[in-house]
């Protein structure tokens, strides 16, 4: 195990530096995990899509992309945390909550990590070849959702408010989220005088705010200007919303 963890630390650094250099063979069902507090646990399905087995380790961190399983402290347990996946087989990960002082008036954000290490090539496969293998880590958002929050995550994106603010030599939009749910914005645009201006994207924390710079915008847009934005919902799908700038 210690040898595996040492290798994992090197792999984690490599995946941070070379994200996208390879494709995972162990596929995760969904692009995010929503954990309803009242359920006590959730299940995440993994599928090994390759014709060979893989060694998999899973853990949860609270926001550090360089996290390793031996250095995280979160109120969750994963079972199994380390296992072998046979070719073309499925495996369920059970994520179980443990007692912790998490906020009860808003969601909390964590990250699910799934590290896949391919098997060592056989002598026949490696004969006369120089091979470079990658261990690949997938990292998904995990939203811990307390019970009895007001409203719901589906309508929360429509409740955010927008205001134009100076930002260096240009302008940005300050988006405020009055809801207890995270709102992930994946597309943003302003329409001024028939011209569309695109803005940065990001995730707005519950009861928080975020400043998103608008590209090429050199004059302050007027109150009432239309804002169009796309978000990612609980199911990983995008949904479109419209708003307008406040005075």
């Amino acid at each position: 195990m210690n040898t595996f963890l040492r290798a994992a630390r090197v792999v984690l650094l490599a995946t941070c530096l070379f994200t996208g250099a390879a494709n995972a063979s162990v596929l995760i069902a969904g692009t995010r995990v929503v954990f309803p507090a009242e359920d006590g646990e959730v299940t995440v399905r993994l599928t090994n899509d390759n014709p060979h087995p893989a060694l998999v380790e899973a853990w949860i961190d609270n926001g550090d992309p360089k996290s390793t399983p031996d250095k995280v402290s979160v109120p969750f347990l994963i079972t199994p945390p380390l296992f072998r996946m046979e070719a073309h087989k499925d495996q369920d990960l059970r994520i179980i909550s443990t007692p912790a002082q998490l906020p009860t008036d808003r969601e909390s954000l964590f990250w699910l990590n799934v590290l896949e290490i391919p098997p060592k090539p056989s002598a026949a496969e490696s004969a006369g070849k120089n091979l470079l293998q990658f261990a690949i880590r997938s990292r998904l958002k995990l939203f811990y959702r307390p019970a009895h929050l007001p409203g719901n995550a589906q309508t929360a994106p429509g409740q955010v408010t927008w205001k134009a603010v100076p930002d260096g030599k240009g302008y940005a939009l300050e988006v405020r989220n009055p809801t207890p749910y995270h709102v992930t914005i994946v597309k943003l645009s302003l329409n001024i005088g028939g011209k569309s201006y695109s803005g940065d994207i990001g995730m707005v924390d519950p009861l928080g705010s975020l400043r998103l710079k608008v590209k090429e915008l050199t004059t302050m847009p007027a109150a009432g200007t239309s804002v169009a934005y796309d978000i990612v919902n609980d199911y990983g799908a995008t949904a479109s919303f419209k708003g307008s700038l406040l005075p």
Side-chain angles (χ1 to χ4, degrees):
M1 177 66 75
N2 288 338
T3 300
F4 176 81
L5 290 177
R6 285 195 296 270
R9 293 190 190 102
V10 174
V11 166
L12 290 181
L13 178 58
T15 55
C16 288
L17 294 175
F18 301 106
T19 300
N23 295 318
S25 301
V26 174
L27 307 178
I28 307 172
T31 61
R32 57 195 49 224
V33 180
V34 176
F35 194 124
E38 62 269 26
D39 291 350
E41 68 175 66
V42 295
T43 300
V44 178
R45 173 63 58 90
L46 306 182
T47 301
N48 185 0
D49 201 38
N50 251 3
H52 55 68
L55 184 64
V56 176
E57 186 168 32
W59 71 97
I60 294 170
D61 70 71
N62 56 9
D64 180 7
K66 296 182 180 180
S67 68
T68 55
D70 56 327
K71 292 185 178 180
V72 294
S73 178
V74 293
F76 300 98
L77 298 174
I78 291 185
T79 179
L82 177 64
F83 53 94
R84 172 188 167 106
M85 283 194 74
E86 300 299 334
H88 302 301
K89 295 294 184 180
D90 297 333
Q91 173 70 51
D92 284 341
L93 289 178
R94 288 180 62 207
I95 303 176
I96 304 167
S97 63
T98 59
Q101 296 298 318
L102 293 176
T104 59
D105 65 339
R106 69 194 72 184
E107 290 181 333
S108 295
L109 174 64
F110 297 88
W111 294 80
L112 170 64
N113 300 269
V114 176
L115 180 68
E116 169 197 348
I117 298 182
K120 182 179 179 181
S122 66
E125 292 172 327
S126 59
K129 301 177 183 177
N130 293 319
L131 298 178
L132 177 63
Q133 284 189 291
F134 286 93
I136 302 172
R137 180 180 65 161
S138 299
R139 200 161 179 261
L140 280 69
K141 293 175 182 174
L142 187 155
F143 300 102
Y144 181 80
R145 186 170 293 167
H148 311 302
L149 292 180
N152 61 73
Q154 286 67 45
T155 59
Q159 299 179 48
V160 303
T161 61
W162 301 89
K163 186 174 183 179
V165 294
D167 186 77
K169 295 182 179 180
Y171 292 89
L173 297 187
E174 185 176 81
V175 52
R176 293 187 177 275
N177 179 10
T179 78
Y181 305 93
H182 290 82
V183 176
T184 302
I185 298 168
V186 293
K187 186 178 181 180
L188 171 63
S189 64
L190 279 177
N191 193 306
I192 303 173
K195 181 178 179 180
S196 180
Y197 296 84
S198 63
D200 290 344
I201 58 177
M203 184 175 67
V204 196
D205 291 336
L207 309 178
S209 63
L210 182 66
R211 182 170 290 195
L212 301 172
K213 187 173 181 61
V214 180
K215 302 174 181 64
E216 300 180 355
L217 186 60
T218 57
T219 58
M220 174 72 81
T225 297
S226 176
V227 181
Y229 55 105
D230 290 354
I231 62 91
V232 178
N233 62 24
D234 282 355
Y235 309 101
T238 58
S240 298
F241 288 81
K242 288 187 176 181
S244 57
L245 296 184
L246 296 176

